Amino acid sequence: MNAFYYRRNELYAESVLVSRLAERYGTPLYVYSRRHIQAQYRALAGAMAEVRPLICYSVKANTNAAVIRTLAAEGAGADVVSGGELFRALRAGVPVSKIVFAGVGKTGEEIEYGLRRGILFFTVESEPEIRRIAACAERLGRTARIAARVNPDVDPATHAHITTGEKENKFGVALQDVRGLCRLAARLPGIEIAGIHMHIGSQILSAAPFAEALRRTRELCAELKRAYPSFRYLDIGGGIGIDYRPGQKPLLPETYARQVAPALKKLGISVVLEPGRFLVGNAGLLVCRVQHVKHSPHKTFIVVDAAMNDLIRPLLYEAYHEVLAVRRGRRAIRADLVGPICESGDFLALDRDLPAAREGDLLAMRSAGAYGFAMASTYNSRPLAAEVMVDGRKSFLVRRRQTWRDLVRDEVIGN
Ligand code: LLP
């Protein structure tokens, strides 16, 4: 489903004019489409129906409560990586029995929070970590369900910063060390071996790396299932890629399912998925207003009121986000799209054919629903943007814009 489209040269979010939203809520503004999120969830759940997976939305992609709640209402669980994310997921209504907790550096406090609430399982990424989890469980008199995170050492052919399942990465334990980790886990009090987990990377556009990771781990999985009666889950992580560029082929849920579902079915195991970007990436726009158009002898700069603090992906991953004119019509010009921050890295698009916008015009960055607002900061003391959810003809503010006062609220001047 394409939630963002033109009618009579005006950009719409579902049935709402994007220009209206900008007038009403100001800019920079994140706009999300609820129906797109729902459609993505249903497409994945439908494609994978034969293994009836538990789809744990990877909350890090977009932590807005309205987004999490939309997915929870579809039946999603949550994949969290911090106490803060666990707090958000619970607050937004995700059942605790559908929450999994990953990450290489969980603190004792975070583990105890998860244990007290009774999450589905923790991934375990190292031997010291399993000892820490066991100690926490013992202290609380609880049982911690764990899934050993396997690093299958496959190349997902994506950006180096978002590759997680190669042997050089800090994540998980090597395939040959998983049995040892499970033996240790079985000896520790308060630990129940619930399954194994992997996550090979993000924005993966081919199903082959997923299939390869499965090929490498399925025997281990079958063996552990035989060895430990409590072993039930295979969590194959997230990583399904979406289209950022016009014409780019996304990884379709059917293609993904065709490559992974038969092997999963054969294993006869409960499947967990942790998609983030796939569910919310193309459900979001970042709308901004042109402040100036600046011509230098070498270049044209379109200066807008959004910046790297609002969307850091172009700088951090050389990511391409399509730039749309909210009112279409003018020809294109070759330009850089930049923000007002005092850094040369403050760009949203470099040397691109952009709508020949003028001062006051509105532009929208596409595919900003995942790792957009979630990675925003207040650098240069720029208040965080507002977020709005559109649902059919309705729109509602799901995060108010920060004020200057909000920026200093937690500061203490001291002496
Ligand atoms: N599960 C685990 C354990 C993860 O580490 C991640 C993402 C996911 C699931 C969700 O992955 P997804 O389905 O969204 O690809 N900030 C980067 C992406 C970092 C991904 C980190 N881990 C970006 O903007 O591209």
Side-chain angles (χ1 to χ4, degrees):
M1 153 184 193
N2 190 4
F4 306 109
Y5 60 92
Y6 287 97
R7 191 187 300 151
R8 281 181 245 105
N9 290 325
E10 298 273 358
L11 184 63
Y12 280 77
E14 299 192 20
S15 306
V16 182
L17 272 167
V18 172
S19 55
R20 275 275 150 79
L21 294 171
E23 271 153 36
R24 182 152 169 213
Y25 302 106
T27 52
L29 178 71
Y30 274 96
V31 176
Y32 306 128
S33 158
R34 176 165 280 165
R35 293 194 183 167
H36 183 91
I37 298 172
Q38 291 166 334
Q40 291 295 98
Y41 180 90
R42 291 172 196 171
L44 184 58
M48 293 291 286
E50 64 172 312
V51 294
R52 304 190 53 224
L54 170 62
I55 301 180
C56 290
Y57 165 53
S58 193
V59 164
K60 64 178 80 65
N62 188 322
T63 55
N64 188 285
V67 170
I68 303 175
R69 194 183 280 274
T70 298
L71 286 160
E74 293 293 309
D79 152 47
V80 303
V81 286
S82 67
E85 284 191 355
L86 175 53
F87 175 77
R88 281 182 188 275
L90 290 170
R91 179 175 168 271
V94 180
V96 71
S97 59
K98 292 184 180 175
I99 299 181
V100 297
F101 195 147
V104 294
K106 304 173 201 76
T107 66
E109 190 188 0
E110 290 174 320
I111 294 166
E112 291 194 3
Y113 180 31
L115 281 172
R116 276 210 189 85
R117 302 305 296 258
I119 62 164
L120 180 57
F121 59 73
F122 296 93
T123 71
V124 171
E125 314 229 359
S126 64
E127 191 183 310
E129 190 179 47
I130 188 115
R131 292 186 190 279
R132 177 177 291 182
I133 294 176
C136 290
E138 209 175 3
R139 210 164 30 244
L140 296 182
R142 306 252 167 149
T143 300
R145 283 175 292 277
I146 60 102
R149 177 161 178 179
V150 187
N151 183 333
D153 191 24
V154 294
D155 177 5
T158 185
H159 193 280
H161 291 181
I162 52 176
T163 294
T164 47
E166 288 192 286
K167 58 181 183 295
E168 295 79 9
N169 300 132
K170 69 178 174 181
F171 301 98
V173 296
L175 209 51
Q176 67 268 26
D177 295 336
V178 176
R179 290 176 187 86
L181 188 75
C182 287
R183 272 197 301 275
L184 169 64
R187 282 202 310 274
L188 291 169
I191 298 284
E192 184 181 301
I193 301 170
I196 56 176
H197 170 270
M198 58 188 163
H199 171 74
I200 57 174
S202 197
Q203 183 53 15
I204 301 170
L205 288 167
S206 145
F210 294 104
E212 177 59 22
L214 255 184
R215 246 191 312 280
R216 289 185 187 200
T217 45
R218 67 183 173 206
E219 243 160 65
L220 171 73
C221 198
E223 186 189 317
L224 294 174
K225 192 169 159 240
R226 284 193 298 273
Y228 303 102
S230 54
F231 190 99
R232 275 182 52 203
Y233 296 99
L234 174 54
D235 180 340
I236 60 171
I240 304 174
I242 60 167
D243 55 317
Y244 281 89
R245 293 168 189 265
Q248 188 176 22
K249 296 255 175 303
L251 175 50
L252 296 173
E254 301 76 51
T255 314
Y256 174 81
R258 219 176 299 124
Q259 291 273 344
V260 298
L264 291 170
K265 180 127 204 219
K266 225 188 220 155
L267 278 169
I269 203 158
S270 301
V271 177
V272 179
L273 308 177
E274 300 175 348
R277 188 189 319 261
F278 172 81
L279 296 174
V280 296
N282 275 331
L285 291 180
L286 171 59
V287 183
C288 55
R289 200 176 281 280
V290 176
Q291 300 301 300
H292 308 286
V293 178
K294 176 174 166 175
H295 299 281
S296 81
H298 305 289
K299 263 187 155 174
T300 299
F301 297 96
I302 300 178
V303 186
V304 292
D305 62 359
M308 66 188 263
N309 74 299
D310 301 297
L311 182 65
I312 201 161
R313 303 195 68 259
L315 173 63
L316 205 51
Y317 314 109
E318 296 155 327
Y320 181 104
H321 286 261
E322 195 182 350
V323 180
L324 305 172
V326 169
R327 193 158 292 141
R328 198 160 58 172
R330 303 226 174 90
R331 60 201 158 75
I333 52 160
R334 196 84 184 164
D336 287 5
L337 187 70
V338 301
I341 283 182
C342 302
E343 299 244 7
S344 298
D346 181 25
F347 56 82
L348 298 170
L350 278 187
D351 200 25
R352 292 244 300 266
D353 287 328
L354 300 173
R358 299 201 190 130
E359 186 177 325
D361 284 354
L362 291 166
L363 296 175
M365 312 287 302
R366 203 175 73 90
S367 315
Y371 308 109
F373 187 93
M375 294 178 83
S377 76
T378 57
Y379 185 43
N380 274 206
S381 290
R382 291 169 46 80
L384 292 172
E387 295 173 284
V388 64
M389 179 70 83
V390 172
D391 188 358
R393 297 180 179 286
K394 289 184 303 210
S395 72
F396 30 97
L397 192 64
V398 293
R399 183 185 179 105
R400 69 167 174 79
R401 183 175 306 285
Q402 269 194 337
T403 62
W404 292 336
R405 206 158 273 285
D406 292 332
L407 292 176
V408 298
R409 199 187 44 211
D410 302 326
E411 263 172 49
V412 181
I413 291 183
N415 289 326

